[in-house]
Amino acid sequence: MYFPSLSGGKPPSGGGAPPVAAPAGGMPAGKGDKEGDNITGRFDPTALERGAKALKELDSSPNAGKAFEVTKMQEATKQKELQKQMEELATARAQAVKERTHMEAEEKRKTVDHQHDRERETARYKAQLEAEAYSKKLQDQKKQNEEWLQQQHQQFLRQEELRKKNELELEEARRRRQAEQARLDRETELQKIREEAAARVKQERENADVHLRSLRARFAEERKTKMEQLQIIFGSIGGAFNSLIEDKTRLATVVGGITAAALGIYGARVGTQIAGRYIESRLGKPPLVRETSRWSFNRAWRSYLLGWLWRRPSFQEKIVLPAELSERLEWTSNSLVNAKRNGTPFRHLLLYGPPGTGKTLFARTISRNSGLDYAIMTGGDIGPLGKDAVNEINKLFRWANSSRKGLILFIDEADAFLRRGRMGEGTMSEELRNCLSAFLHHTGTETTNFCVVLATNVREVMDRAVLDRVDEQFEFPLPDLEGRRKMVKMFVDEYIYTPTKRGRKIVVDAALDDEYWDMVAKRTEGFSGRQIAKLAIGMQAAVFGSGTNTLTKGLADTVLNWKLAHFDEDVDTLERRKAQHVKETVVGEDTPHAHAQPAAA
């Protein structure tokens, strides 16, 4: 833009058009137009004139100073904007420096954190290595302890073997001495007999003629005497027979007397048999009964001779049962007492559970608490009897019915002859089926004379008709932890801490305290009461077999580990046998015969 005040000059005077410059090269205008009319021949100066006029008017305008001021202010504004931009650039530069510092600090922090992580990882790996080394050390220590226990066990076995060997050698030496002494005695006796015989032979040879003459005379006299006696006897018999034939009355009397004597002998024999059976049924006990509290000649003789009364250890001392089962025991005892007192029928019971859980002692306790007699038999005694088994069972129940006080008949291993075997349900011999039928016949109706208590380890194989005759069933489980604690304490006190009948006492190591026996109770999970008792007896035998009177912790651990190892093997074997027994016995469960069993029963 052109500002006249700034330039200091004026536009050219005259209102005409500004002069037109001559063409370059000093060429005349006319010639130039002729030569290049396309370039200059049509130029219009109007626009330049209008611009010059506008500049002139603007220069003469009163707002020209203000326009200059505006221009100055615009220039100052541009300067301020440039300064602001410079400050913003400085601020951005400072921010960039700050961000770079922050990034450097963040990188340094990450580096430190990474270093700490590496240190923690190193410490963790070092701790893991130390833990592995400690675990390996513990394993080595455990292995050493096991080897030591094994060595102790082997040493105990060697000592036991050496003791048995010494005992065998002593016994063999004693037998050899006895045999040698017997041989010497025999040789001495033979020598004595030979000498005596030689002396007698010599003497007899010297007196041979005298003996021969005396013998001949004696034999002749004896022959003559015997001939005379025979003549007299046969003469008397002949005369008596002739007189008997001639006298008819005497003949009838003799024949009647002989007949009466024969009848008397036969009647006495039959009467003796009947009396014997009656005495046996009343005073004796059947062969199937192994043990009874009922009075009999055999037991009375023992009681009189030994001064021994029928006593058993108390229930609390010898049997440990769950609270519910103990309560049911009390109820059952009361019901048996009231049944005998009121004349109501007895209830039959079934006891089932693993071996050694107290089923036999339970039956004895019931009989003792109820005041009744009891008899114990086992089902395994039925099979060997063969065809006589049915007669023995009938005899047993006749004997049970003759009890005045009432009898509890406890049948252990009842599944031996009361299992499923009828109607094609399993393999069972004809004799056992007859025994089962006889049992069902005697227990088919209620009775006030006896109570049958059955015990079995496998309830599933029992005949359904037998289960139908049972009024109440008791399951005897394996003892829990608290029950095992009581049993361990009871049997340890009986076999370890209590002196033997001959006064020998076991010294118990101080390490075998209550905490140790509690550990034994925890490790013997699955043991029955009988197995816990055998564990205590095994520790007692180990002490006596080692030749010392001290039960150490190592010896107790050895016996415990040995019992646990054998228990695992026994459990596996028992499970296999039980599964095989159930598989062989319960055959045809889904057959029509099996569904018809209750009706047949």
Side-chain angles (χ1 to χ4, degrees):
M1 181 179 293
Y2 176 75
F3 298 99
S5 59
L6 297 176
S7 63
K10 296 181 180 180
S13 63
V20 179
M27 188 177 290
K31 188 175 180 180
D33 294 334
K34 290 180 181 180
E35 291 179 357
D37 51 356
N38 290 334
I39 300 173
T40 61
R42 296 180 181 180
F43 177 73
D44 188 5
T46 306
L48 294 175
E49 291 177 357
R50 287 195 302 269
K53 186 178 179 179
L55 291 173
K56 185 177 180 181
E57 290 176 356
L58 182 61
D59 190 28
S60 62
S61 174
N63 295 323
K66 294 181 179 180
F68 180 73
E69 293 296 332
V70 169
T71 302
K72 288 176 64 178
M73 292 179 67
Q74 289 177 350
E75 189 68 23
T77 302
K78 290 182 179 180
Q79 293 293 330
K80 292 291 184 181
E81 290 178 352
L82 290 174
Q83 186 178 0
K84 181 180 179 181
Q85 291 178 358
M86 291 176 65
E87 291 178 354
E88 289 178 351
L89 289 174
T91 304
R93 187 180 297 109
Q95 185 68 25
V97 172
K98 182 179 179 180
E99 290 180 356
R100 186 179 65 184
T101 304
H102 179 70
M103 290 178 64
E104 290 177 354
E106 185 68 21
E107 289 295 330
K108 185 177 181 180
R109 185 185 63 78
K110 289 182 179 180
T111 302
V112 173
D113 291 342
H114 181 67
Q115 185 177 1
H116 289 170
D117 293 339
R118 291 295 299 273
E119 292 177 355
R120 284 194 296 272
E121 184 68 21
T122 303
R124 186 184 64 80
Y125 182 69
K126 184 178 180 181
Q128 182 179 0
L129 292 178
E130 292 177 354
E132 291 178 355
Y134 183 69
S135 176
K136 184 178 180 181
K137 182 179 179 181
L138 290 179
Q139 291 178 358
D140 294 339
Q141 185 68 26
K142 182 179 179 182
K143 186 176 180 181
Q144 292 177 0
N145 293 336
E146 291 177 354
E147 291 178 353
W148 181 80
L149 290 176
Q150 187 67 21
Q151 291 176 0
Q152 291 291 328
H153 182 60
Q154 294 295 332
Q155 183 179 0
F156 169 72
L157 293 179
R158 287 194 298 269
Q159 291 177 354
E160 185 68 16
E161 184 179 359
L162 182 60
R163 183 184 64 82
K164 292 181 179 179
K165 184 177 179 181
N166 293 334
E167 290 180 354
L168 291 176
E169 291 178 353
L170 292 175
E171 183 66 21
E172 185 66 23
R174 185 180 63 81
R175 285 198 298 267
R176 285 198 300 267
R177 287 195 302 271
Q178 291 179 353
E180 184 66 20
Q181 185 65 32
R183 185 181 64 81
L184 293 176
D185 293 341
R186 286 195 302 270
E187 291 180 355
T188 304
E189 188 68 23
L190 289 175
Q191 185 66 24
K192 182 179 179 180
I193 293 172
R194 290 193 191 99
E195 292 177 356
E196 291 179 354
R200 284 198 300 270
V201 168
K202 182 178 180 181
Q203 185 178 2
E204 290 296 332
R205 285 177 180 176
E206 293 176 353
N207 301 326
D209 296 336
V210 177
H211 284 297
L212 286 176
R213 287 193 299 269
S214 62
L215 286 175
R216 288 172 183 171
R218 188 174 67 250
F219 288 154
E221 186 66 27
E222 289 179 357
R223 180 174 177 278
K224 182 179 179 181
T225 303
K226 288 180 180 179
M227 291 298 294
E228 292 176 354
Q229 290 177 354
L230 288 175
Q231 290 177 0
I232 294 171
I233 291 172
F234 283 111
S236 301
I237 293 174
F241 184 74
N242 291 331
S243 62
L244 182 62
I245 294 298
E246 294 174 356
D247 192 351
K248 304 295 183 181
T249 304
R250 292 179 62 185
L251 179 62
T253 303
V254 172
V255 173
I258 294 173
T259 305
L263 292 176
I265 293 173
Y266 179 75
R269 178 185 295 177
V270 175
T272 303
Q273 292 178 354
I274 295 174
R277 292 176 182 175
Y278 177 79
I279 292 173
E280 181 182 3
S281 63
R282 290 292 180 179
L283 304 179
K285 70 180 183 65
L288 286 177
V289 176
R290 290 191 172 187
E291 183 180 344
T292 180
S293 62
R294 186 174 172 183
W295 190 92
S296 62
F297 278 123
N298 189 18
R299 187 169 173 269
W301 175 79
R302 290 183 180 178
S303 299
Y304 178 77
L305 183 62
L306 303 178
W308 179 76
L309 298 178
W310 186 258
R311 294 191 183 100
R312 290 287 179 185
S314 64
F315 172 70
Q316 292 79 6
E317 293 177 350
K318 282 298 181 181
I319 186 170
V320 177
L321 295 177
E324 181 181 359
L325 194 57
S326 299
E327 186 177 3
R328 291 182 64 190
L329 169 65
E330 184 177 358
W331 292 351
T332 304
S333 301
N334 294 334
S335 66
L336 290 175
V337 172
N338 294 328
K340 186 61 179 178
R341 182 181 304 166
N342 301 327
T344 56
F346 287 116
R347 304 169 66 205
H348 303 314
L349 310 177
L350 174 65
L351 314 180
Y352 65 95
T357 51
K359 296 184 288 295
T360 304
L361 190 55
F362 182 88
R364 290 176 178 172
T365 306
I366 288 179
S367 64
R368 185 175 58 253
N369 294 346
S370 62
L372 305 177
D373 289 329
Y374 80 88
I376 298 177
M377 64 164 290
T378 178
D381 294 338
I382 300 295
L385 296 178
K387 296 181 180 180
D388 297 332
V390 177
N391 295 330
E392 294 297 333
I393 288 179
N394 294 330
K395 185 187 301 183
L396 172 66
F397 279 98
R398 285 196 301 269
W399 178 76
N401 277 309
S402 64
S403 175
R404 295 181 180 180
K405 296 171 58 178
L407 179 72
I408 294 179
L409 178 59
F410 177 69
I411 303 178
D412 198 8
E413 299 179 6
D415 55 290
F417 74 104
L418 299 180
R419 65 178 183 268
R420 298 180 182 179
R422 302 180 303 157
M423 305 297 292
E425 285 189 350
T427 58
M428 194 174 185
S429 64
E430 185 67 24
E431 290 80 4
L432 291 182
R433 279 197 294 269
N434 295 335
C435 294
L436 174 59
S437 300
F439 176 84
L440 296 177
H441 168 71
H442 289 288
T443 57
T445 57
E446 292 77 9
T447 179
T448 59
N449 296 325
F450 63 87
C451 166
V452 177
V453 180
L454 305 176
T456 178
N457 299 329
V458 188
R459 176 180 173 273
E460 294 77 10
V461 303
M462 297 292 291
D463 190 89
R464 296 183 180 180
V466 176
L467 295 178
D468 184 65
R469 282 157 170 75
V470 173
D471 298 294
E472 191 169 0
Q473 300 182 11
F474 293 87
E475 181 181 5
F476 283 73
L478 292 171
D480 55 3
L481 178 58
E482 186 63 28
R484 293 197 303 274
R485 285 173 179 168
K486 294 180 180 178
M487 291 182 182
V488 168
K489 184 179 183 304
M490 179 175 65
F491 291 119
V492 166
D493 289 340
E494 181 177 359
Y495 297 109
I496 303 299
Y497 290 100
T498 303
T500 62
K501 294 181 179 179
R502 297 189 176 181
R504 187 171 181 180
K505 187 176 181 180
I506 297 177
V507 179
V508 183
D509 192 358
L512 303 180
D513 51 3
D514 293 339
E515 183 178 356
Y516 178 82
W517 298 121
D518 186 70
M519 181 274 297
V520 172
K522 291 179 181 178
R523 292 189 62 185
T524 53
E525 182 179 1
F527 276 46
S528 64
R530 182 183 296 120
Q531 290 169 332
I532 294 176
K534 289 184 177 180
L535 174 61
I537 295 173
M539 291 182 181
Q540 182 192 60
V543 172
F544 293 155
S546 62
T548 62
N549 288 334
T550 304
L551 178 61
T552 62
K553 186 176 183 297
L555 186 58
D557 290 339
T558 302
V559 176
L560 177 61
N561 294 330
W562 183 75
K563 287 290 184 182
L564 290 173
H566 282 268
F567 172 74
D568 295 336
E569 297 176 0
D570 294 340
V571 167
D572 296 338
T573 304
L574 181 62
E575 290 296 332
R576 289 195 298 271
R577 290 181 179 176
K578 182 177 179 181
Q580 184 67 22
H581 182 60
V582 173
K583 182 178 179 181
E584 293 178 354
T585 305
V586 186
V587 178
E589 184 68 22
D590 298 330
T591 60
H593 295 292
H595 293 290
Q597 177 69 13

